[in-house]
Amino acid sequence: MQKYQDVVLKPDGSVIQGASVLVQSYPGAVTSTIYSNDGVTVQANPMTTDSLGRFAFYADGGRYQLVISGNQIATQTITDILLEDGISSGT
């Protein structure tokens, strides 16, 4: 399980409160199961950015895409986000 966090910004650098962030598998665009903590509590997907434009989720290792939409921005898809479990080989 890995944590991903980011901020949604306008082109001028100001934050976007209340943007919708949908997490999907990549490729394939299937809505993913995400968590609000390390694999225990399922989180709503899509989620909404907070008053500072922030969002965060936990998900299994793999490749994802984010579909970001809202009243103040054109819908954007950010593809090929890699979440890797940081498991050491011990060597």
Side-chain angles (χ1 to χ4, degrees), residues 4-88:
Y4 183 87
Q5 57 189 6
D6 208 343
V7 176
V8 178
L9 303 171
K10 294 179 188 176
D12 68 5
S14 60
V15 299
I16 300 178
Q17 176 182 352
S20 174
V21 180
L22 175 65
V23 182
Q24 298 178 320
S25 61
Y26 178 82
V30 175
T31 299
S32 300
T33 300
I34 59 173
Y35 301 87
S36 60
N37 46 32
D38 197 4
V40 178
T41 307
V42 175
Q43 179 174 330
N45 189 11
M47 70 197 96
T48 303
T49 59
D50 68 11
S51 63
L52 299 175
R54 300 175 299 193
F55 68 94
F57 63 91
Y58 286 84
D60 290 328
R63 294 188 183 279
Y64 296 90
Q65 68 182 25
L66 304 177
V67 181
I68 302 170
S69 60
N71 292 333
Q72 303 172 31
I73 58 171
T75 299
Q76 288 188 325
T77 301
I78 302 168
T79 60
D80 208 9
I81 296 168
L82 176 61
L83 298 182
E84 290 184 298
D85 287 330
I87 299 172
S88 173

